[in-house]
Amino acid sequence: MFKSFWNLLSERVLTPQVTSADSEELLRRASVALPRPVIWLLGKTQSGKTSIIRAMTGSTQAEIGSGFRPCTRTSQFYPFPNEEECFLRFLDTRGLGEVSYDPSQDLEYCQDQAHLLMVVVRAMDHALEGLLDAVRTIRRQKPDWPLLIVQTALHDGYLEGAGHPLPYPFAQQPWPATVPADLARSLASQHEQFADLHGRFVAVDFTLPEDGLSPEFYGLEELWEAIEAELPLGLQGMLRQQPGLQQELFTLHFKKARPHVIAYSLAAAAAGAVPLPVVSLPSVVAVQAKMFHTIASIYKQPLNSKVMSELGGALGVGVTAHFAVRMMGRSLLAMIPVIGTATAAVYTAAATYALGCTLCWYFAQKRNGLIPSPEMLRGFYGQELAEGRRLFKEYLQARPRSTTP
């Protein structure tokens, strides 16, 4: 009844077609059901918001600086990895220096999205009246939104020439004597100023290599722990390269490609979760074909019939049967409300992720003058399929917290 999955994918890759308007609308509507987290960075200028994005995403300062897009009169967002393939947005409020800052437009922008309010404040800053007023306004309207208060630039309170106190001492109070006295007093004062807001505090210091402080991302693990506790979507695993990946993938190319693979995997999950097998399979394949072209562009490798033949010789038979049968089964499962949809989405995302990582590894090997054997490709695909299931299960089965007042 259907062309084999691999033949259909190859056809899409080698003769790209514009997806029909119906399929595009189907994909758009399906995507609405998936968690689309926005991390709202609320803080004064130079408080360290961009450094937090850099630490979390691995993006460079230049990439972040050129990636912001305006969204309201007083704010801009940073879509990661980019606006077209976005699966995570950072909202940066620019209006806190204005006496009349009104967060209502930003609240409306975040109204229906999984949301984390991250208040960013320099550790030695105590002129916080405007920031506190803004946070209290948001809390009154959205009391259930998780709140993190991130205290940054800890080194402002260090003695001259001193490094970070190690081991990390800020996880619980009272703080040990390794924390400089002036810094401890300032942090404690900020705790008191924010006490009525009932947020979770994290102390970090994200610097540049030329600043001479090690580690560069001091407190990053503690920040991730706090984020995952407040917004449990498995974002840390999705944003970071996994230690289980084979060493050949740890290249600048893969660092750039992986967020795109994740974004396309989520887009495929949105299409695969739609309970119409005849429509969803072509939509998923269209998304995967776009992913293949993006990866080839990043690795600067040709994507032609020879490449598809080599991959198809290794993956075609097994993956075609496995994916097509599972896709049909998952599409039927998707007709079961909630549970079936989540299961279909997780499988489709995992399979797309495995295909994307396998193509990255294939191109990395080719750049080194090697052609991996069919056994190696099949083994690698199976490994990344399992990894994909682990990565996307928490994200896709989670539901955003209620955003009703």
Side-chain angles (χ1 to χ4, degrees), residues 151-231:
Q151 297 166 294
T152 64
L154 300 175
H155 62 270
D156 288 351
Y158 295 174
L159 297 175
E160 186 175 354
H164 298 308
L166 297 172
Y168 181 88
F170 301 103
Q172 57 186 8
Q173 291 181 283
W175 298 310
T178 55
V179 178
D182 288 346
L183 176 61
R185 281 193 292 271
S186 185
L187 294 176
S189 175
Q190 289 178 349
H191 278 241
E192 292 176 4
Q193 289 179 276
F194 283 94
D196 64 306
L197 294 166
H198 308 291
R200 180 192 293 260
F201 285 85
V202 184
V204 304
D205 200 340
F206 300 156
T207 58
L208 297 170
E210 55 265 31
D211 294 324
L213 285 168
S214 182
E216 180 180 346
F217 297 130
Y218 181 73
L220 179 58
E221 289 298 327
E222 288 73 19
L223 176 61
W224 269 121
E225 288 176 7
I227 290 171
E228 296 292 359
E230 297 295 329
L231 193 68

Side-chain angles (χ1 to χ4, degrees), residues 68-378:
F68 277 113
R69 302 285 185 272
C71 60
T72 70
R73 184 179 66 84
T74 56
S75 292
Q76 56 188 357
F77 70 90
Y78 177 74
F80 185 79
N82 58 38
E83 191 167 1
E84 291 73 30
E85 300 154 18
C86 172
F87 67 88
L88 172 64
R89 286 183 172 184
F90 295 88
L91 179 69
D92 177 23
T93 297
R94 298 170 293 172
L96 284 176
E98 304 171 7
V99 175
S100 59
Y101 171 68
D102 180 359
S104 59
Q105 283 188 328
D106 297 331
L107 279 163
E108 183 178 355
Y109 175 79
C110 297
Q111 180 75 29
D112 298 319
Q113 306 183 63
H115 187 76
L116 174 68
L117 181 60
M118 187 180 292
V119 177
V120 185
V121 53
R122 292 182 75 95
M124 303 301 286
D125 185 4
H126 296 283
L128 304 177
E129 292 79 8
L131 178 61
L132 285 164
D133 288 345
V135 179
R136 289 187 178 112
T137 298
I138 295 167
R139 283 301 245 183
R140 282 194 294 271
Q141 297 187 46
K142 298 294 178 182
D144 294 331
W145 273 358
L147 170 64
L148 287 183
I149 299 104
V150 184
Q151 297 166 294
T152 64
L154 300 175
H155 62 270
D156 288 351
Y158 295 174
L159 297 175
E160 186 175 354
H164 298 308
L166 297 172
Y168 181 88
F170 301 103
Q172 57 186 8
Q173 291 181 283
W175 298 310
T178 55
V179 178
D182 288 346
L183 176 61
R185 281 193 292 271
S186 185
L187 294 176
S189 175
Q190 289 178 349
H191 278 241
E192 292 176 4
Q193 289 179 276
F194 283 94
D196 64 306
L197 294 166
H198 308 291
R200 180 192 293 260
F201 285 85
V202 184
V204 304
D205 200 340
F206 300 156
T207 58
L208 297 170
E210 55 265 31
D211 294 324
L213 285 168
S214 182
E216 180 180 346
F217 297 130
Y218 181 73
L220 179 58
E221 289 298 327
E222 288 73 19
L223 176 61
W224 269 121
E225 288 176 7
I227 290 171
E228 296 292 359
E230 297 295 329
L231 193 68
L233 295 177
L235 289 174
Q236 181 178 15
M238 291 174 61
L239 290 175
R240 288 185 165 186
Q241 293 180 5
Q242 300 302 310
L245 286 175
Q246 297 193 28
Q247 189 61 37
E248 288 85 348
L249 282 181
F250 285 93
T251 66
L252 291 176
H253 292 95
F254 185 67
K255 182 179 179 182
K256 183 176 180 181
R258 187 170 184 267
H260 295 274
V261 172
I262 289 171
Y264 280 116
S265 299
L266 292 173
V274 177
L276 296 172
V278 176
V279 178
S280 61
L281 181 57
S283 298
V284 169
V285 170
V287 170
Q288 292 170 343
K290 290 182 180 180
M291 176 182 70
F292 270 43
H293 282 281
T294 298
I295 293 170
S297 175
I298 291 171
Y299 279 83
K300 295 180 171 56
Q301 293 288 311
L303 194 56
N304 51 33
S305 57
K306 180 180 178 183
V307 171
M308 296 305 293
S309 177
E310 289 176 352
L311 287 172
L315 302 179
V317 176
V319 174
T320 292
H322 185 250
F323 190 91
V325 171
R326 289 296 190 109
M327 188 68 200
M328 289 295 295
R330 298 312 186 197
S331 296
L332 294 173
L333 263 179
M335 297 179 184
I336 305 173
V338 183
I339 296 176
T341 299
T343 301
V346 171
Y347 174 76
T348 308
T352 304
Y353 176 82
L355 280 173
C357 286
T358 302
L359 184 60
C360 288
W361 184 68
Y362 172 84
F363 280 150
Q365 294 280 44
K366 284 196 69 175
R367 289 177 65 88
N368 291 328
L370 303 172
I371 300 297
S373 69
E375 293 76 19
M376 293 171 66
L377 283 167
R378 283 193 292 270

